[in-house]
Amino acid sequence: HSGAWANFFQSLMEMKANTENPADFWAAFNFWVFFAVGHPILQPILQISDVLHGSPGPMVADLVPVTFLLGNIVAIGAFALSSEIRSAVNVFALSAFIAYVGAGLDGKAGLGDYNLALDDNYQGKVVHGCPTYEEVRQPSMADFDLKKYQGMWYEHKFHDWTQFKEVYDTSLDIKLTPDGKGWIDDFGVKGPAPASARLSWDKSPVANGAH
């Protein structure tokens, strides 16, 4: 993904050069970093959680299966005693992280929900960063009644790297402010989805929903 990384850094430098207030640039960049890092970290966490709740054997303190505990002791011991194992795991983890983020930068490896590109194509032209409403507004929106936007909305599908594919039952209850120029929303979500963590999804603190 070297080409995607090169385009990313070039776009980043252009953004920095064209942003008058440095604080605005770093706020946007930190927002990007949060989600770029959050996605690849969440994947192994869910996998480890499934291993934890799927491990056989009696429970220790009614919390952890003894086989999972023994496996951790063996892994920690190997890390402590072997510098070669530590180095190999560190190199693998760093390489996997760089490749995963790179896949998000160029939309490869089937990661359609992990689109990290700063520039995107819209109607055959490159849109730098997040497009303005005027850039994407369609003629069909001329008679749009904002009041009809109020109510309960349910997420059906998304193509947005700021969303986590591991959640489900996402809803948004929207009400306009009294002046009609803003809105108040109640965002609801459950997670992780059963398909993302088959053995441990119901152990999540937000398995039954959070707002």
Side-chain angles (χ1 to χ4, degrees):
H1 308 293
S2 58
W5 278 105
N7 291 335
F8 167 72
F9 284 113
Q10 181 180 354
S11 297
L12 197 64
M13 292 302 99
E14 290 179 5
M15 286 176 58
K16 188 175 182 180
N18 294 321
T19 303
E20 294 183 4
N21 186 350
D24 292 338
F25 167 79
W26 288 112
F29 179 66
N30 290 336
F31 182 78
W32 181 92
V33 169
F34 173 78
F35 287 99
V37 174
H39 278 271
I41 288 180
L42 184 60
Q43 299 303 314
I45 289 176
L46 291 176
Q47 293 167 1
I48 292 172
S49 178
D50 260 13
V51 172
L52 165 64
H53 293 284
S55 298
M59 303 289 286
V60 177
D62 201 31
L63 292 174
V64 183
V66 65
T67 52
F68 182 82
L69 192 61
L70 291 174
N72 275 269
I73 293 174
V74 171
I76 293 172
F79 268 69
L81 298 175
S82 174
S83 60
E84 289 82 3
I85 291 178
R86 288 198 301 272
S87 298
V89 171
N90 287 333
V91 169
F92 172 79
L94 180 60
S95 300
F97 176 79
I98 293 174
Y100 193 98
V101 176
L105 288 172
D106 64 12
K108 297 292 180 65
L111 299 173
D113 59 334
Y114 188 60
N115 179 8
L116 293 175
L118 295 180
D119 301 331
D120 216 338
N121 290 322
Y122 180 75
Q123 294 185 343
K125 66 178 181 179
V126 174
V127 176
H128 293 277
C130 183
T132 63
Y133 176 66
E134 289 73 19
E135 289 181 289
V136 297
R137 187 175 185 271
Q138 301 298 304
S140 59
M141 297 297 292
D143 298 325
F144 179 71
D145 185 356
L146 192 59
K147 293 180 180 179
K148 294 182 178 179
Y149 189 65
Q150 298 182 102
M152 181 69 76
W153 293 77
Y154 297 90
E155 183 177 74
H156 174 65
K157 192 70 176 177
F158 62 81
H159 183 73
D160 179 1
W161 58 267
T162 65
Q163 306 298 317
F164 290 93
K165 64 183 179 181
E166 294 80 13
V167 301
Y168 70 109
D169 270 9
T170 303
S171 62
L172 197 61
D173 189 6
I174 298 175
K175 295 180 177 64
L176 290 179
T177 54
D179 60 9
K181 296 182 179 180
W183 68 80
I184 302 171
D185 61 71
D186 178 18
F187 176 75
V189 67
K190 295 180 181 179
S196 297
R198 299 181 186 279
L199 302 177
S200 59
W201 69 271
D202 57 339
K203 312 299 190 302
S204 166
V206 294
N208 295 318
H211 292 263

